[in-house]
Amino acid sequence: MFLQDTPSLLQKDSTISENRMFWETEEKKLDDRVYQATWPGGQKAVDRLTKQGKKPVRDLIQQLIDPGSMFFELGQLAGFGVNYPGGIDDVPCGGVVTGIGKINGNWTMIFGNDSRVKAGAYFPITLKKHMRAQAIAERCGLNCVYIADSAGAFLPMQVDVFPDDGHFGSMFYNMARMSAKGLKQITMSTGGNTAGGAYIVFMACQSVMIDKMSYSFLGGPPLVKMATGEVISAEDLGGARVHTQVSGGADHFCANQDEAVSRVREILALDAPQKIHSHRYADAPPTSPPETIYDLMPSQVHQGIDGRRIIQAIADDSYFIEYKKSYAPGRGDNILTGKIRIKGIPVGVVASNSVGIIFAEAARKAAEWVVRCSQEKTPLLFVQSAPGYMVGSESEHQGIGKYGSDMVRTVACAQVPRIQLVIGPDNGAANYGMCGRAYRPHFLFSTMRARTGVMSGRSAAGVLLSIEEKKREVKGKPMTAEEKQAFSQKMIEKYDGEAHPFFCGSRLLTDRVLKFSEIRDWLGMAFEVSLIEPIGEPAFGNVRF
């Protein structure tokens, strides 16, 4: 008996090894993309900063946060393949660094213009990234620190960056609104801030400027000369001495960047310590080795997963208290529900399992669980690997539309912190029911296995090919086999390419593309930050039973 079973065991071990090697290779590609995003211009760009007495923005951020603590950088992959006017194919990292770190023990949202990227100019992707970080800060009750060194709005795209809601002015609107809520807005100017960009200095609760490095004015020397005939230097028009000693537009005068960083930390030194609105147990690592999750993730994205083992690989003590475990086997268990702890924080889980297709039974169970967690004020983690809801007459008659809409409604209305982690297919309405971006999760993380799109490339090719064939038949020019094959391949490449985490990351459809080994640390941070603000009372609309 043992000898007969041995080949299958060996095959399983071989598959596990292949899975791990595959994802480690994929994550090396992620490392390469992150390097491109965080090292624009190479050493030459750093050398130019050094000559100006400046440090790269990430070095400043590391000085700013508490020693030995981690900076959780968001949206690293933003801005690749945007193809803006003037031959601007890429805006690495969106031209601005955003992320969460601890200053004097308190979580803080930090923004930093990277002047190595188009002089820190604001493109549409820059604004989207900046707004997303401000939205997280306001929702989670975080102070904001802005390291400002920007050329302002990218003028050739003014219609896309200036006049609308979500454009340049919204940065300052958000600053004003957060300040009114008691969330400190602190600016450390490390370069020029001109025209509208000047408001990031003037609208801050407190501003720090650096001698002969920081400048802030509504109109720079060239505009002043053209408009009034006055000839004046940038320093005399709006330098650090002018605004800290004459105009009063800024508050702290510093000699260099090191002093400015210390001053920002000092400004925030007496803030009350943050507390989370949840009981927290002692942190305990999973019982399985950290690399186990690499073994559990099939290299084929549309292959089914063992959701229970994946949950156990990220949960404290690998402890999963499952809800309705025995309900509707083979249908109801395509979604797993229950509770785990992440870094000591109790969390409700709604997780894809097996092939992930959502049947009516699974949708009912998930909706019920979201309501229960909302009543208990337990935050929710959605682990997404679902290609969609089940279709067909049998499912329609069983109420897949009705129960799927219940799932979507409860997810939309749940007042508890919600975080999505995408580890596989993320298609169709399953994106909605599993708390995709449109459902405004507090944080949304992807992995290299994530594929977010309206449908898979293969499905899209089949649907669109049938439409194209009918069009050609009407014209009396039926498609040849070669044309069908070429059309299908083109659609597969398009839809699968647009679902890839690099594409989604470049357009900020995810807050961070994580390595599997990073999942626990990032989820721990995200739940802790999301629980700083009190949780409101549950309220749901008209659920169909």
Side-chain angles (χ1 to χ4, degrees):
M1 184 70 173
F2 176 78
L3 291 176
Q4 289 176 341
D5 287 345
T6 299
S8 64
L9 292 174
L10 290 173
Q11 185 178 7
K12 184 177 180 181
D13 289 342
S14 174
T15 302
I16 287 174
S17 177
E18 288 171 6
N19 287 343
R20 187 182 304 182
M21 288 189 294
F22 180 85
W23 293 117
E24 286 175 348
T25 300
E26 288 295 292
E27 289 183 351
K28 286 178 182 176
K29 297 176 185 176
L30 176 60
D31 287 337
D32 291 342
R33 180 57 63 94
V34 170
Y35 179 85
Q36 295 170 24
T38 58
W39 199 244
Q43 187 60 43
K44 287 183 179 179
V46 175
D47 292 341
R48 283 196 298 271
L49 290 177
T50 302
K51 290 178 181 178
Q52 299 168 23
K54 298 181 180 182
K55 299 177 182 179
V57 65
R58 289 178 182 82
D59 290 1
L60 291 173
I61 291 171
Q62 285 300 322
Q63 275 186 260
L64 183 63
I65 63 175
D66 295 346
S69 67
M70 180 176 173
F71 178 58
F72 292 85
E73 186 172 345
L74 302 168
Q76 280 185 318
L77 305 188
F80 287 96
V82 289
N83 300 318
Y84 289 145
I88 300 173
D89 298 328
D90 302 319
V91 182
C93 209
V96 63
V97 178
T98 63
I100 300 172
K102 284 191 172 182
I103 299 178
N104 302 314
N106 283 337
W107 292 111
T108 306
M109 182 63 77
I110 302 171
F111 306 71
N113 300 118
D114 193 340
S115 61
R116 296 174 296 175
V117 181
K118 313 300 179 186
Y122 274 81
F123 296 85
I125 193 66
T126 320
L127 288 166
K128 185 176 183 180
K129 184 172 177 179
H130 191 110
M131 301 303 161
R132 173 58 182 159
Q134 284 186 317
I136 292 172
E138 182 169 4
R139 188 178 199 181
C140 296
L142 306 181
N143 292 332
C144 296
V145 173
Y146 304 88
I147 301 174
D149 185 0
S150 170
F154 182 63
L155 294 180
M157 298 187 72
Q158 72 87 21
V159 73
D160 298 307
V161 297
F162 172 69
D164 202 0
D165 183 19
H167 286 182
F168 206 69
S170 293
M171 293 192 298
F172 314 122
Y173 173 87
N174 294 337
M175 290 177 74
R177 301 279 294 185
M178 281 192 278
S179 178
K181 292 181 177 181
L183 303 177
K184 291 186 173 68
Q185 308 293 297
I186 310 300
T187 294
M188 183 178 85
S189 175
T190 61
N193 299 278
T194 308
Y199 285 109
I200 206 160
V201 174
F202 301 142
M203 292 198 65
C205 300
Q206 294 192 51
S207 294
V208 178
M209 295 187 73
I210 302 169
D211 189 27
K212 296 181 177 60
M213 183 183 293
S214 305
Y215 306 96
S216 188
F217 23 62
L218 299 186
L223 180 60
V224 169
K225 181 180 179 180
M226 182 185 70
T228 69
E230 181 183 8
V231 177
I232 190 169
S233 69
E235 180 68 25
D236 291 336
L237 180 63
R241 288 189 183 277
V242 168
H243 288 309
T244 59
Q245 299 176 16
V246 180
S247 79
D251 310 288
H252 303 274
F253 178 89
C254 294
N256 52 52
Q257 288 187 328
D258 291 339
E259 184 183 344
V261 168
S262 297
R263 188 61 52 84
V264 172
R265 287 185 55 82
E266 185 177 59
I267 291 168
L268 298 171
L270 298 182
D271 280 17
Q274 293 165 336
K275 296 181 291 186
I276 66 170
H277 290 80
S278 172
H279 178 73
R280 190 167 198 168
Y281 297 86
D283 181 10
T287 57
S288 55
E291 65 272 12
T292 300
I293 195 165
Y294 287 87
D295 301 327
L296 297 173
M297 296 292 186
S299 59
Q300 297 299 314
V301 171
H302 293 279
Q303 184 177 336
I305 59 172
D306 187 337
R308 290 184 178 90
R309 293 188 67 191
I310 289 170
I311 291 170
Q312 291 166 354
I314 63 176
D316 287 13
D317 283 326
S318 299
Y319 187 48
F320 176 38
I321 307 170
E322 190 166 352
Y323 174 73
K324 286 190 181 294
K325 180 177 181 180
S326 303
Y327 174 60
R331 296 169 70 92
D333 59 0
N334 271 15
I335 286 181
L336 306 175
T337 53
K339 287 186 179 179
I340 61 174
R341 302 187 317 277
I342 294 287
K343 300 284 184 174
I345 298 173
V347 172
V349 178
V350 179
S352 300
N353 185 42
S354 187
V355 294
I357 296 171
I358 303 175
F359 292 90
E361 294 89 341
R364 280 204 304 263
K365 181 172 76 170
E368 186 176 294
W369 184 240
V370 170
V371 171
R372 289 185 182 277
C373 288
S374 297
Q375 294 287 348
E376 297 175 4
K377 298 188 177 181
T378 300
L380 284 162
L381 170 64
F382 295 85
V383 183
Q384 164 67 330
S385 183
Y389 288 87
M390 189 61 188
V391 298
S393 61
E394 181 182 357
S395 288
E396 291 294 346
H397 298 168
Q398 288 180 337
I400 187 62
K402 177 173 70 172
Y403 295 119
S405 70
D406 284 347
M407 186 174 168
V408 171
R409 181 188 299 276
T410 55
V411 168
C413 294
Q415 88 289 10
V416 298
R418 294 164 297 131
I419 294 168
Q420 190 194 48
L421 173 67
V422 187
I423 61 169
D426 179 26
N427 303 133
N431 172 275
Y432 306 159
M434 293 294 284
C435 203
R437 178 64 97 198
Y439 289 78
R440 303 180 186 180
H442 287 59
F443 291 90
L444 193 162
F445 303 126
S446 299
T447 63
M448 287 298 287
R449 196 172 184 270
R451 296 294 185 273
T452 298
V454 66
M455 60 183 72
S456 70
R458 182 178 176 184
S459 296
V463 171
L464 295 171
L465 177 60
S466 66
I467 296 172
E468 186 67 16
E469 284 181 299
K470 290 178 182 177
K471 288 181 179 178
R472 294 283 295 270
E473 287 172 4
V474 169
K475 294 178 180 179
K477 297 180 180 179
M479 297 179 76
T480 65
E482 292 78 11
E483 287 175 327
K484 291 178 184 179
Q485 175 62 31
F487 182 90
S488 294
Q489 188 60 36
K490 182 179 179 181
M491 292 302 102
I492 289 171
E493 291 174 0
K494 170 181 167 60
Y495 280 80
D496 285 349
E498 291 176 354
H500 192 276
F502 283 179
F503 186 94
C504 293
S506 73
R507 282 148 182 81
L508 293 173
L509 303 180
T510 179
D511 292 318
R512 172 88 176 203
V513 180
L514 299 177
K515 295 182 177 181
F516 292 128
S517 59
E518 297 174 326
I519 287 174
R520 267 181 57 82
D521 285 340
W522 275 81
L523 290 181
M525 176 279 294
F527 279 114
E528 183 175 330
V529 166
S530 299
L531 286 162
I532 292 171
E533 288 286 280
I535 297 173
E537 297 303 317
F540 296 92
N542 295 312
V543 177
R544 294 180 181 273
F545 294 100

